[in-house]
Amino acid sequence: MVVPAERVIGEEGLRATPAGLRLAMRLPWYRSLPFSTVAVASVVIDGEPVDLTDVRVEFDDHSWSLAELAEATNVFWFIRDSAFLVMPQACAEPGSEHSVTLTLNVAPPYIPGMIRTNPETATLTVA
Amino acid sequence: MTVANGPQLGVTLYSFTNEWLTRQFDLDTLMHEVARRGLGPNIEIIGFQSFKEFPDVSDRFAGTFKDLVAATGLNPVSLAINSDRFLRPGQQPIDDATLVEYHKRQLRSAKKLGFSLVRYQFALPVHLLPEIAPYAEDLGIRMGVEVHAPMWAGHPAVLAYREMYDKLQSPVLGWIPDFGGTATAIPPSLLDAARAAGAKESLIELVKEIWPEPGMSHEKAGKLREIALKAGHDPRHIQAVNLAFFILSNNDPKSWAELVDRTIHIHGKFYGVNEAGVEEAIPYDTILPLFRDGGFTGTIVSEWEGHAYCEADAFEQVRRHQAMCRRILADEPVAA
């Protein structure tokens, strides 16, 4: 059983967009954290790892590459809000169903020595 | 009913983390629910949990919050702030000037929102206190450093802070004991949750064996991880049991007596109060009288942390915890 503070797949699920598949993500912690303390470790769709080279992470007005995400020390992922992973290397038909495994790593900035790995698998229908 | 001039009870909204994260309540409806159930009026809020604008809240939001406080009749006693030193994992901490300013931003927000004190953390290096304390004095807000597991009254970090507190003699600096530092055992509910997730009994035995050893939390967690991985345990089960090292340690509960005089607020940490009114991991019968008889008249906020591994009813847990505290503070024996 995954408690709420371990969940990484967001309620908004998976959506097909012109820029690629868009996956909702939740921060697996109990308080907001700077985006630089979070890493997208992997995405696997139907057993196939997704190439994360060109992905973007979107939140409010922001859009980052993974390299830019690691530098985002002064933007906070509000614990109640979803961020979105846009994957140009992944596409799927609206209405199709897929098994999605997302893994986020979190290093809380006030607890030296702690890195948490949070995988979650869900079957999602593409909007 | 608590004694008018003894320790007061309250609740930290952190207890309702599951309800918050699942969006069952927003700030407005959660505060109304806490008030409706009589779990207030004293509350603590974690700035980074409940306020999207944190660490820099706007005048507009502060106004909204104050209206909410007035509407619910709650009393915002404590705002929990954080010492976010390691903004890039694995790299050097941020520089002192940035960390000092980070604290000042949060202190300003706390004052603006109407809180009486802040909970700050030992992750703030003690040599920066001489810069921050005068700022809090000027603002007119108190600062309590949370003595959280693995720390206790005799821990070197606490002793270093005590020396600095003696040196500064500031009217705004104090302690916030968190009773998780003086637990008698790893909560059975935490171990049961690990078992339910598939953790083998040998892993449970391993964490019970390592938990009472001396050492820093992440060192013990690293030690368990190394042994457990070699023994073939699932990393997710290892992560589940390793939580115990970061939230609990088994120091002597009577040691709190040394900190009573500068205690300004208390985190009544707990994991599960049963129907007989007894908490499963922390000896409240030993601890609460120390503060009551030592003259503490501030607030003990009920802090249920079982949400980290289970989805029990937080409101019921807090109700039971407050009933237990009332019983002990009034010196009533446990019902047979």
Side-chain angles (χ1 to χ4, degrees), chain A residues 65-108:
Chain A
S65 66
L66 293 186
E68 289 164 345
L69 188 75
E71 297 299 311
T73 55
N74 199 32
V75 182
F76 288 87
W77 188 345
F78 184 48
I79 194 63
R80 280 169 65 85
D81 291 349
S82 294
F84 296 87
L85 184 69
V86 181
M87 298 172 279
Q89 308 287 347
C91 59
E93 286 300 305
S96 62
E97 208 177 69
H98 304 274
S99 170
V100 178
T101 303
L102 170 67
T103 302
L104 296 183
N105 294 344
V106 173

Side-chain angles (χ1 to χ4, degrees), chain A residues 26-41:
Chain A
R26 292 291 301 270
L27 174 62
W29 200 233
Y30 67 87
R31 59 150 275 213
S32 310
L33 296 176
F35 273 97
S36 57
T37 63
V38 184
V40 180

Side-chain angles (χ1 to χ4, degrees), chain A residues 1-7 10-12 25-27 29-38 59-60 70-74 76-82 106-119, chain B residues 14 17-27 46-56 82-89 91 102 105 119 121 123 196-197 218 236 239-240 243 246 306-311:
Chain A
M1 181 198 68
V2 174
V3 292
E6 292 171 324
R7 286 192 226 157
E11 290 84 339
E12 298 82 357
M25 309 188 291
R26 292 291 301 270
L27 174 62
W29 200 233
Y30 67 87
R31 59 150 275 213
S32 310
L33 296 176
F35 273 97
S36 57
T37 63
V38 184
F59 181 81
D60 286 353
E71 297 299 311
T73 55
N74 199 32
F76 288 87
W77 188 345
F78 184 48
I79 194 63
R80 280 169 65 85
D81 291 349
S82 294
V106 173
Y110 55 101
I111 309 175
M114 178 192 269
I115 299 182
R116 288 177 61 87
T117 299
N118 302 276
Chain B
Y14 175 67
T17 290
N18 283 346
E19 291 77 6
W20 184 249
L21 296 186
T22 54
R23 302 173 183 161
Q24 272 183 65
F25 292 91
D26 59 25
L27 185 62
I46 297 175
F48 281 113
Q49 180 172 68
S50 306
F51 304 136
K52 179 160 178 166
E53 294 178 357
F54 212 70
D56 307 303
N82 289 104
S83 183
D84 292 341
R85 296 183 71 201
F86 299 91
L87 295 184
R88 289 187 185 78
Q91 296 192 27
Y102 196 77
R105 288 160 73 184
R119 179 290 315 257
Q121 305 179 297
H218 66 270
R236 278 172 293 182
Q239 184 165 279
L243 182 63
F246 291 94
H307 55 70
Y309 52 81
C310 79
E311 291 188 79

Side-chain angles (χ1 to χ4, degrees), chain B residues 265-283:
Chain B
H265 183 67
I266 292 174
H267 279 186
K269 178 65 67 68
F270 73 105
Y271 294 89
V273 178
N274 65 19
E275 280 165 15
V278 179
E279 150 61 17
E280 64 181 86
I282 294 168

Side-chain angles (χ1 to χ4, degrees), chain B residues 128-142:
Chain B
L128 297 179
L129 269 182
E131 256 190 270
I132 294 177
Y135 192 78
E137 285 169 30
D138 288 345
L139 273 182
I141 190 164
R142 288 170 296 156

Side-chain angles (χ1 to χ4, degrees), chain B residues 205-274:
Chain B
E205 288 309 310
L206 186 60
V207 69
K208 283 163 102 171
E209 188 186 310
I210 297 177
W211 181 70
E213 290 174 7
M216 298 175 72
S217 303
H218 66 270
E219 285 170 356
K220 295 198 282 189
K223 175 178 174 179
L224 182 143
R225 189 160 193 277
E226 198 182 314
I227 298 171
L229 282 174
K230 281 203 189 100
H233 291 286
D234 185 319
R236 278 172 293 182
H237 302 156
I238 295 171
Q239 184 165 279
V241 299
N242 264 353
L243 182 63
F245 297 118
F246 291 94
I247 58 178
L248 297 140
S249 48
N250 68 332
N251 299 299
D252 178 7
K254 298 205 196 73
S255 66
W256 291 119
E258 297 167 48
L259 300 185
V260 170
D261 62 342
R262 275 204 182 106
T263 293
I264 61 172
H265 183 67
I266 292 174
H267 279 186
K269 178 65 67 68
F270 73 105
Y271 294 89
V273 178
N274 65 19

